[in-house]
Amino acid sequence: MVKPYLFVTRKLPEEIIRPFRRHFDIQMWPYEEKPINRETLEKEARRADAILTMLSDQVDRSLLGQAENLKIIANLAVGYDNIDLSAARDRGITVSNTPDVLTETTADLTFALLMATARRIVEADSFIKKGQWNNWAPFLMAGTDVHHKTLGIVGMGRIGEAVARRARGFSMDVLYHNRTRHLQAEESLGVQYAEFEFLLEQADYVVCLAPLTEETKHMFGEKAFSRMKKSAFFINASRGKNVDEQALYQALIREEIAGAGLDVFEDEPIDSSHPLLTLQQVTCLPHIGSATIETRKRMIELCLENIALVLSGKKAKTFVI
Ligand code: GLV
Ligand code: GLV
């Protein structure tokens, strides 16, 4: 019997892949850091029964139009804005993602980014390493308190709830804004629903965890930042395109907000000459929300399980469509 053909768009650890080689003919793009080129992606999509994709791969209608045999796209991310869902639906292709396994890990990173930004951790570290620490001083690297402040979570999914749980440990008041209310979270976590504008006006830390959709694109623009307190921080661990970076830069240099922590950018990787990178009140990370060894391994395994289920005629464990 011919084994189904699975193509993986990035080099992943062989020890995770190996057990699945018994069931599938598996090929991988041979580079760990270099993304696949369009030509190879098209060629492989034409042949594959399943593809395991990265969030940096654009899986659009023109690609799927050529994918005669494709039954599942397993995206190695909880987000799936890189995939044209309607094109996949038209062709009856399953799209799966990796929720749950990355929730706590991503919440850890989101909270770490918030704290690092508030307490100037990265700036203070490079201050020492550059040999600038000559004297102790009362306000040396003085930051802003986190405990007992108001946290505003925009996008109250699983990760938002996990961030809210962490915030409780810091005695924070938590507001959230979401398309739909989460009465259960309101009860169990003591979080309060707020309209977007009200949340922006009240929060000391505004954390964006909303998926990227037509509705959320650039939801953080000039108007949103102008509503925020001058002392407030903006943290983004969702998708860069939820933010108008030009407006964020202007809000920061005009001191309309105090600082920002960004794990994601409008264009990734961000150009090293981007003006946001010149600001000391901005902490930047290279989209590493779920990047721990344990969680990345679980995410890859979940993709492979989903592929195995769909190719044996079953429903994926965590499918989007
Ligand atoms: C990462 O950004 C993800 O969507 O999992
Ligand atoms: C998004 O899907 C989340 O888990 O927060």
Side-chain angles (χ1 to χ4, degrees):
M1 207 184 81
V2 184
K3 292 182 195 171
Y5 180 57
L6 161 59
F7 184 74
V8 182
T9 67
R10 203 62 72 90
K11 185 177 180 190
L12 299 177
E14 183 56 31
E15 67 271 21
I16 309 176
I17 300 292
R18 192 176 301 114
F20 291 84
R21 289 199 185 274
R22 229 157 49 98
H23 309 288
F24 311 122
D25 173 12
I26 304 178
Q27 297 289 333
M28 281 192 266
W29 175 247
Y31 306 103
E32 228 172 281
E33 287 187 15
K34 191 169 124 191
I36 191 168
N37 60 54
R38 179 73 186 190
E39 194 191 340
T40 311
L41 183 60
E42 287 186 7
K43 183 175 116 261
E44 295 295 348
R46 282 197 288 273
R47 177 179 163 209
D49 295 289
I51 47 177
L52 196 166
T53 52
M54 308 298 118
L55 56 83
S56 49
D57 300 325
Q58 286 312 314
V59 182
D60 52 28
R61 188 171 284 276
S62 112
L63 181 78
L64 294 179
Q66 311 171 45
E68 298 278 328
N69 299 319
L70 194 62
K71 287 157 204 80
I72 172 168
I73 303 154
N75 206 39
L76 188 71
V78 67
Y80 41 82
D81 49 275
N82 58 312
I83 297 170
D84 185 332
L85 288 190
S86 99
R89 194 180 287 114
D90 289 347
R91 300 193 69 93
I93 298 169
T94 295
V95 174
S96 70
N97 65 341
T98 61
D100 306 318
V101 294
L102 51 58
T103 299
E104 300 296 329
T105 300
T106 306
D108 281 351
L109 190 280
T110 305
F111 218 84
L113 180 56
L114 184 158
M115 296 208 62
T117 307
R119 296 300 303 272
R120 305 172 63 181
I121 301 287
V122 178
E123 204 189 332
D125 176 82
S126 68
F127 172 81
I128 296 189
K129 289 178 181 168
K130 281 193 225 146
Q132 293 170 335
W133 190 21
N134 299 319
N135 294 294
W136 186 88
F139 287 95
L140 175 63
M141 289 290 153
T144 304
D145 277 335
V146 172
H147 67 89
H148 295 92
K149 293 286 181 76
T150 299
L151 174 66
I153 299 174
V154 177
M156 193 66 158
R158 289 155 284 216
I159 300 167
E161 288 191 21
V163 169
R165 279 198 300 279
R166 285 156 178 75
R168 277 172 53 136
F170 287 78
S171 307
M172 298 178 93
D173 287 327
V174 182
L175 300 175
Y176 78 95
H177 180 73
N178 200 55
R179 252 181 331 176
T180 53
R181 277 184 76 158
H182 281 213
L183 296 175
Q184 207 203 327
E186 290 179 29
E187 240 174 70
S188 63
L189 298 171
V191 299
Q192 224 182 354
Y193 177 82
E195 291 302 330
F196 185 50
E197 288 74 20
F198 184 78
L199 180 149
L200 295 172
E201 286 162 8
Q202 298 295 315
D204 299 301
Y205 297 91
V206 174
V207 175
C208 180
L209 288 164
L212 173 63
T213 65
E214 282 309 313
E215 289 77 50
T216 63
K217 188 168 179 210
H218 279 199
M219 74 187 293
F220 288 94
E222 193 183 333
K223 249 174 67 192
F225 293 123
S226 70
R227 291 248 181 192
M228 287 172 60
K229 297 183 191 177
K230 270 174 146 6
S231 55
F233 291 83
F234 174 69
I235 308 296
N236 190 8
S238 59
R239 284 294 180 271
K241 289 189 170 69
N242 286 336
V243 178
D244 176 347
E245 280 174 359
Q246 195 53 38
L248 173 59
Y249 177 72
Q250 291 300 327
L252 286 160
I253 58 168
R254 292 187 193 138
E255 298 183 11
E256 289 168 6
I257 65 171
L262 307 171
D263 184 40
V264 289
F265 299 90
E266 280 199 71
D267 287 309
E268 295 179 5
I270 189 171
D271 194 289
S272 61
S273 65
H274 195 290
L276 274 174
L277 305 187
T278 63
L279 303 179
Q280 47 83 21
Q281 70 273 43
V282 178
T283 309
C284 296
L285 300 175
H287 201 152
I288 55 170
S290 62
T292 63
I293 293 164
E294 302 100 307
T295 289
R296 283 289 153 85
K297 183 164 181 280
R298 282 194 287 265
M299 289 165 67
I300 295 167
E301 283 168 349
L302 179 54
C303 286
L304 292 164
E305 279 174 54
N306 281 330
I307 289 167
L309 283 165
V310 168
L311 293 185
S312 62
K314 303 195 182 91
K315 268 192 176 0
K317 206 159 137 187
T318 55
F319 58 89
V320 180
I321 56 162

